[in-house]
């Protein structure tokens, strides 16, 4: 059973940076498309970034494009989210997710890590 564990969250001032990590157990990590989502207080969870397994392409939400970078290290079974130029509206719980089945939906989720950006 593959599990995802996020780390790296914390509190920063606007303009600062954080790097989130998502460590995956299991031998099939490199076969998964990986993504990051976030949920702000009182709001629904939203897509942030995706690293597609098939061709290595990345895709970002417009709100983070140019500021966030998703990457992965298959040797370490880890996916990262580098977040620069953080804004207060980036505050929320960040979740790592994986596509593990042919449905192409994100169906495996981590427990989340809190990111707080103060102005």
């Amino acid at each position: 059973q593959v599990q995802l564990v996020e780390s790296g969250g914390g509190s920063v001032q606007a303009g600062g940076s954080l790097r989130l990590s998502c460590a995956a157990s299991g031998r099939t990590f490199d076969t998964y498309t990986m993504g990051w989502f976030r949920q702000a207080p009182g709001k629904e969870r939203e897509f942030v970034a995706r690293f597609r397994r098939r061709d290595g392409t990345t895709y970002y939400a417009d709100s983070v494009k140019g500021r966030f970078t998703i990457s992965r290290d298959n040797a370490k079974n880890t996916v990262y989210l580098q977040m620069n130029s953080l804004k207060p509206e980036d505050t929320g719980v960040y979740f790592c997710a994986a596509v593990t089945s042919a449905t192409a939906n994100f169906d495996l989720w981590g427990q989340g890590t809190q990111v707080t950006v103060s102005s």
Side-chain angles (χ1 to χ4, degrees):
Q1 183 76 14
V2 178
Q3 292 184 321
L4 305 176
V5 179
E6 302 97 331
S7 62
S11 298
V12 295
Q13 290 191 327
S17 298
L18 283 174
R19 187 176 80 156
L20 306 183
S21 299
C22 173
S25 60
R27 297 177 295 174
T28 56
F29 170 79
D30 59 342
T31 67
Y32 298 156
T33 286
M34 301 297 296
W36 287 94
F37 293 74
R38 68 186 181 189
Q39 187 167 18
K43 296 187 176 181
E44 293 189 353
R45 187 160 52 190
E46 64 175 1
F47 167 79
V48 174
R50 181 190 72 207
F51 190 111
R52 193 163 65 180
R53 174 200 65 80
R54 184 176 65 197
D55 55 12
T57 58
T58 56
Y59 184 76
Y60 299 92
D62 288 343
S63 58
V64 307
K65 203 171 295 183
R67 299 187 298 121
F68 290 13
T69 303
I70 186 172
S71 61
R72 66 193 294 167
D73 185 335
N74 289 336
K76 295 182 178 180
N77 278 6
T78 301
V79 64
Y80 304 98
L81 185 69
Q82 177 67 44
M83 306 186 295
N84 299 326
S85 302
L86 283 161
K87 304 175 181 180
E89 52 263 43
D90 294 318
T91 294
V93 179
Y94 282 69
F95 298 90
C96 174
V99 176
T100 68
S101 69
T103 64
N105 296 320
F106 286 96
D107 54 3
L108 179 66
W109 296 84
Q111 83 289 350
T113 185
Q114 176 70 44
V115 171
T116 303
V117 184
S118 58
S119 57

